[in-house]
Amino acid sequence: QMCIRDRTYLDEHCNFENIAMAFLTVFRLSTYDAWNDLMHDAMREKSPSFFCIPNPTYSDIQANGGNPVGCGNVFYSIYFILCILVIPFIFLNIFMAIAHVLCVDTLSLIHI
């Protein structure tokens, strides 16, 4: 679970706090809708203008009213870039497999 503090693009509508929201967020990534902004929000670390706790505990999150308080990490960029590269490849393969099956079925009907 990624308990990163909410920011501009990682908010209550787009986050990785539970499995359902994570699937919706990954779907949003696959549409290329502000994926780089999501990546930058996930990578944001502690600074004077942004308070976060590097390794939050459960009590830290509860003290913040149940809201995430964690910092981001530069390594999250690898996850986002892999999602951008791999997810379209998977969807392209699924589309091509369906098209191939339909063509083979059509050709078998014509030759009978």
Side-chain angles (χ1 to χ4, degrees), residues 95-107:
F95 174 75
M96 294 300 291
I98 292 170
H100 175 71
V101 167
L102 292 175
C103 287
V104 167
D105 288 347
T106 303
L107 289 175

Side-chain angles (χ1 to χ4, degrees), residues 4-110:
I4 297 175
R5 182 176 162 215
D6 290 346
R7 296 177 181 85
T8 306
Y9 291 94
L10 282 176
D11 56 10
E12 67 273 0
H13 302 293
C14 182
N15 57 56
F16 295 95
E17 293 177 25
N18 59 45
I19 193 74
M21 289 306 298
F23 274 120
L24 288 174
T25 303
V26 170
F27 178 74
R28 181 175 172 182
L29 286 174
S30 70
T31 64
Y32 300 107
D33 181 29
W35 74 271
N36 56 337
D37 297 322
L38 289 171
M39 180 179 70
H40 289 294
D41 271 0
M43 291 171 39
R44 193 164 180 190
E45 296 179 343
K46 188 174 183 177
S47 68
S49 64
F50 182 74
F51 174 75
C52 60
I53 300 171
N55 293 312
T57 62
Y58 181 73
S59 60
D60 293 331
I61 296 171
Q62 290 303 313
N64 193 35
N67 296 319
V69 293
C71 296
N73 193 326
V74 175
F75 295 110
Y76 289 140
S77 63
I78 296 169
Y79 171 77
F80 281 90
I81 292 171
L82 282 176
C83 280
I84 293 302
L85 294 175
V86 172
I87 291 174
F89 181 72
I90 292 170
F91 281 124
L92 177 66
N93 281 333
I94 291 172
F95 174 75
M96 294 300 291
I98 292 170
H100 175 71
V101 167
L102 292 175
C103 287
V104 167
D105 288 347
T106 303
L107 289 175
S108 68
L109 289 174
I110 291 173

